[in-house]
Amino acid sequence: MPIDATLAYDDQNIFARILRGEIPAKKVHEDEHALAFHDINAQAPVHILVIPKGAYVSWDDFSARGSEAEIAGFVRAVGKVARNLGLVAPGYRLLANTGGDAGQEVPHLHVHLFGGRHLGPMLAR
């Protein structure tokens, strides 16, 4: 169910619980600013979720409140995951939903990294 990205951070969301180790995840990368893991409902041969370790509801929240180090570290982590998975040469897609109209379902910023096949048009026409 889509969430309201303007609401306060909910520390009981599934990604907060993964960060605390309460729920297992198949990790592919972790550093001081980000955690990346396989999506349990993969929409492509490669479907990774990259989340910041800080408590940010959405991209809007992160860009407004995140420190320069957190933002740079998170963006670098996304690129490192793509490189480590060999996705740069064939290509990959990044997607970050913010709010109800975009279909954001978890109130913790997350970037979907898709790859492993031709992905087609960005939006259905």
Side-chain angles (χ1 to χ4, degrees):
M1 172 169 237
I3 62 103
D4 181 345
T6 65
L7 295 178
Y9 185 80
D10 173 9
D11 68 359
Q12 294 305 307
N13 75 72
I14 191 168
F15 295 160
R17 294 181 66 205
I18 288 171
L19 283 168
R20 290 192 301 266
E22 296 170 7
I23 297 174
K26 188 176 173 188
K27 298 176 185 180
V28 296
H29 174 82
E30 184 169 13
D31 62 29
E32 69 178 291
H33 297 294
L35 174 67
F37 52 92
H38 289 271
D39 191 304
I40 62 170
N41 186 27
Q43 303 296 305
V46 177
H47 186 172
I48 304 297
L49 297 172
V50 186
I51 63 174
K53 287 196 169 175
Y56 300 103
V57 175
S58 66
W59 194 263
D60 179 69
D61 184 26
F62 186 55
S63 66
R65 296 188 313 106
S67 70
E68 290 181 17
E70 288 175 302
I71 293 169
F74 180 71
V75 171
R76 285 189 176 106
V78 172
K80 184 174 185 176
V81 170
R83 285 189 300 279
N84 288 348
L85 293 174
L87 297 175
V88 176
Y92 61 94
R93 177 172 295 156
L94 300 176
L95 173 70
N97 298 313
T98 299
D101 280 356
Q104 183 180 358
E105 295 179 346
V106 178
H108 187 111
L109 170 61
H110 54 288
V111 171
H112 297 261
L113 190 157
F114 302 103
R117 68 169 167 81
H118 180 75
L119 297 170
M122 204 165 64
L123 297 173
R125 295 175 189 226

